[in-house]
Amino acid sequence: MKEHRHVPDLDRLSVVIALILLAYATTSFVTFPTKTLNLQLPGFLIEVNVNFTTLVAVVVAILAAAGSDWIINGHPHLQDEIRWHHWIVPAFTAIAIGIPLGTLPVSSAWWIIFALGGVLMVGVLTAEYISVDANDVRYAFAVMALNAVSLALFLVITTAISGGGYRLYILLIAVFPAAFLISARTMHLRLVTAWNIPWAFAIALIVTQVAAALFYLPLRSIQFGMITLGVLYGLITVASNIEEKYPRRTVWIEPAVMTVVFCLIGFL
């Protein structure tokens, strides 16, 4: 089997990164009053606060997804007609970068996060490009990097929402799709060809239920994030081990150990 070593087109990569960083740079200079959108449903009222940072996060997520598709479209060994799974990690990365940029004042720390966010986006888009071709010599490293970034982004998103003082329905609206998409993408990368949507849905449902239970406990945001991350990682690993036909005696060992480790780290 012939091995490949392709790199993304630098012009396309530069344009995408420039647009994303430019969008986030505007949050330091453009502001407008927060608008509250009310949706009255039977039994409760949903309030959503919309500000410029929120709009920028949505726009940047779309830019990252579209940019990822544009970059991988130039891969010489691209065969998949459906490429939506290559949008997931870049979009979540763009949103996660915007969380600290939208809360910190413009300072040296803000510019450091701004620069590191650009470097992270370059790495994620490059890894997505490499993951198109399973015969690429760097494929295993790209898969490992994307999985690690996906889990880290889930931690950032859940920790930020938990620490932001949002109501339970906002937390659940964010946790379920994030857990579902990350589970589906991670299992697809690990199993190479298989898409296990039922597994991803079941994992997301369990993680959301755990998050709802933890919401009412006196936990710090990092503890909440680490516990939900541990549950997510454990369930993904169990599902992947089952699909890969691991022996029944060992299918639970790694997931159980790592879940406990994540929980302990959160409390330590």
Side-chain angles (χ1 to χ4, degrees), residues 62-175:
I62 296 173
L63 282 175
S68 177
D69 188 83
W70 184 42
I71 290 171
I72 67 173
N73 189 53
H75 199 291
H77 297 282
L78 180 65
Q79 297 179 350
D80 294 337
E81 295 182 1
I82 300 176
R83 303 193 293 268
W84 64 269
H85 50 279
H86 291 288
W87 308 346
I88 298 173
V89 180
F92 275 120
T93 303
I95 293 173
I97 294 171
I99 292 174
L101 293 180
T103 56
L104 291 176
V106 178
S107 61
S108 57
W110 190 95
W111 286 108
I112 290 173
I113 295 174
F114 182 79
L116 292 177
V119 174
L120 178 61
M121 279 302 307
V122 171
V124 168
L125 292 174
T126 303
E128 285 289 355
Y129 183 88
I130 294 172
S131 69
V132 170
D133 183 14
N135 295 325
D136 194 296
V137 295
R138 301 153 300 174
Y139 178 81
F141 177 78
V143 168
M144 184 170 55
L146 288 174
N147 288 339
V149 169
S150 299
L151 295 173
L153 295 177
F154 182 80
L155 174 63
V156 171
I157 292 172
T158 53
T159 301
I161 294 176
S162 174
Y166 296 100
R167 297 177 64 180
L168 178 60
Y169 65 84
I170 297 294
L171 177 69
L172 301 184
I173 289 173
V175 168

Side-chain angles (χ1 to χ4, degrees), residues 29-70:
F29 308 100
V30 180
T31 58
F32 62 77
T34 300
K35 302 293 184 181
T36 301
L37 303 180
N38 298 323
L39 177 61
Q40 181 66 57
L41 297 177
F44 62 96
L45 174 67
I46 296 179
E47 296 182 354
V48 179
N49 295 324
V50 179
N51 52 33
F52 185 72
T53 303
T54 305
L55 296 178
V56 169
V58 174
V59 171
V60 170
I62 296 173
L63 282 175
S68 177
D69 188 83
W70 184 42

